Amino acid sequence: MNLQVEQMHPLVLNVGLAVHNADWNWKNVNSPFTRLYYVTEGSAQIELPDGIYTLSPKHMYFIPAFTIHTNICKSNFVHYYLHIYEDHYSDNDWLDHWKFPVEIEATDLDLALFKRLCEINPHMTLQKSDPTTYDNNPTLMQNLIKNRQRAFCDKVESRGIVFQLLSRFFKQGQSKIEMEDNRIAKTVLYICKHLNEAIELEKLAEISCLSKDHFIRLFKKELGTTPLQYINQKKIEKAQLLLITEELAVKEIAFQLAFDDYSYFNRLFKKTTGVTPQEYRRLY
């Protein structure tokens, strides 16, 4: 999928240096933001859905948002951390279309960039490493406010540094959705930009210049799922972000995402995430 830099709106939530000694052990962490690590000393492990990775010095690590993971630390472990939040008001979510390597070999420049990011954002350091102390609605909102209240020059420099660090992962990343048919690619972009609307299959077929039945068959061939399933998945993912970052009633979030049937929204959310919207908000 053809991604433009202008579509990326990464916001810095937290950045700092963490020093641990067998006390970086947190189970089933699941956050609405992306994590980047640069390890300077020691070793630890992180358990992801696809296996366990050992975190080693002079390497960087990428943990996508909404990825359940467990941290394992049995000795000395020192690392820089960077939490990046993709503004949910963006028209497109770049993370949704790319698969990045978990681990890459780092450079001296990467270390210098982390140090500089900490230097210009001293107030965005975590006071505690326990995810429950910062990975919650009130703290997330406070961090977003801090981000927007920074001096303009710091915002510009921080954004540039984040882009440089992310570029290292993009270099080895791969597009999740390699669509041979440009007609289907157009409908996917339309879906991402209109999640707050009722998206009709007839409209998508019109955009793709195909009959409705032909469009459904071709969409499933390209993405491995039906258009309706894809639309619902994207809407629920957006609902997850809104539940954590906005102080809106669950019913209001359902209506914002064009679910006229509130009961159906609740059932779909639980089917997708395993918990109800209310339980999800309490958990995260």
Side-chain angles (χ1 to χ4, degrees):
M1 180 164 288
N2 186 22
L3 177 66
Q4 304 298 319
V5 174
E6 294 78 8
Q7 294 175 302
M8 297 174 60
H9 303 277
L11 303 177
V12 176
L13 285 178
N14 308 109
V15 62
L17 178 66
V19 180
H20 296 282
N21 187 17
D23 60 349
W24 193 66
N25 297 283
W26 317 111
K27 292 184 177 181
N28 298 323
V29 181
N30 186 353
S31 306
F33 49 79
T34 295
R35 288 174 161 85
L36 261 63
Y37 296 138
Y38 180 105
V39 182
T40 61
E41 297 178 32
S43 178
Q45 291 181 314
I46 188 163
E47 184 177 354
L48 294 169
D50 64 342
I52 296 177
Y53 294 82
T54 298
L55 281 57
S56 305
K58 296 186 178 181
H59 286 77
M60 288 199 298
Y61 298 87
F62 186 101
I63 314 299
F66 295 112
T67 300
I68 299 177
H69 60 282
T70 294
N71 301 331
I72 306 166
C73 179
K74 299 180 180 179
S75 60
N76 177 57
F77 178 57
V78 183
H79 71 287
Y80 284 94
Y81 58 85
L82 169 60
H83 297 166
I84 304 170
Y85 174 69
E86 174 70 1
D87 194 332
H88 67 71
Y89 292 106
S90 304
D91 286 338
N92 202 7
D93 186 352
W94 52 273
L95 283 174
D96 189 46
H97 304 306
W98 284 77
K99 178 177 177 58
F100 299 100
V102 174
E103 177 187 56
I104 63 172
E105 190 171 347
T107 66
D108 292 339
L109 175 58
D110 297 324
L111 177 58
L113 290 172
F114 265 100
K115 289 181 177 179
R116 179 56 183 167
L117 200 56
C118 292
E119 183 180 342
I120 60 178
N121 296 286
H123 56 291
M124 304 187 85
T125 300
L126 294 172
Q127 300 303 308
K128 297 181 180 179
S129 63
D130 184 349
T132 62
T133 65
Y134 63 82
D135 194 0
N136 54 70
N137 185 295
T139 306
L140 182 59
M141 293 301 295
Q142 291 172 11
N143 290 334
L144 287 171
I145 292 172
K146 286 181 182 179
N147 181 290
R148 295 186 172 100
Q149 289 179 338
R150 290 178 301 163
F152 183 73
C153 60
D154 290 341
K155 289 182 182 180
V156 173
E157 186 175 358
S158 295
R159 180 71 64 91
I161 291 174
V162 171
F163 274 131
Q164 288 185 77
L165 293 173
L166 287 174
S167 71
R168 305 274 283 110
F169 289 90
F170 268 107
K171 189 173 183 179
Q172 299 183 34
Q174 295 180 335
S175 176
K176 288 181 180 179
I177 306 174
E178 293 291 350
M179 286 176 285
E180 297 179 0
D181 197 313
N182 189 52
R183 294 170 296 183
I184 300 303
K186 286 181 179 178
T187 64
V188 169
L189 289 176
Y190 179 88
I191 291 169
C192 292
K193 292 182 178 181
H194 295 81
L195 292 177
N196 62 330
E197 301 175 13
I199 303 174
E200 302 292 341
L201 293 182
E202 289 77 9
K203 177 64 177 180
L204 297 178
E206 179 184 336
I207 293 171
S208 62
C209 299
L210 298 167
S211 69
K212 181 179 175 181
D213 290 340
H214 190 189
F215 163 70
I216 293 173
R217 288 196 300 272
L218 193 56
F219 191 99
K220 187 170 184 179
K221 178 184 177 182
E222 289 281 352
L223 277 80
T225 186
T226 68
L228 181 58
Q229 289 171 336
Y230 184 84
I231 292 168
N232 284 337
Q233 178 65 35
K234 295 302 132 189
K235 283 180 178 284
I236 295 304
E237 289 176 3
K238 185 67 173 286
Q240 288 176 269
L241 277 177
L242 292 174
L243 282 165
I244 296 176
T245 61
E246 298 287 347
E247 295 182 358
L248 296 172
V250 175
K251 184 172 289 188
E252 179 62 26
I253 290 175
F255 290 156
Q256 279 199 15
L257 294 171
F259 286 99
D260 293 331
D261 188 337
Y262 178 57
S263 296
Y264 173 69
F265 168 75
N266 275 323
R267 292 196 303 273
L268 181 63
F269 191 98
K270 185 170 184 178
K271 180 180 178 181
T272 305
T273 67
V275 294
T276 67
Q278 293 86 349
E279 290 171 336
Y280 185 87
R281 173 171 272 172
R282 285 197 299 269
L283 284 170
Y284 301 117

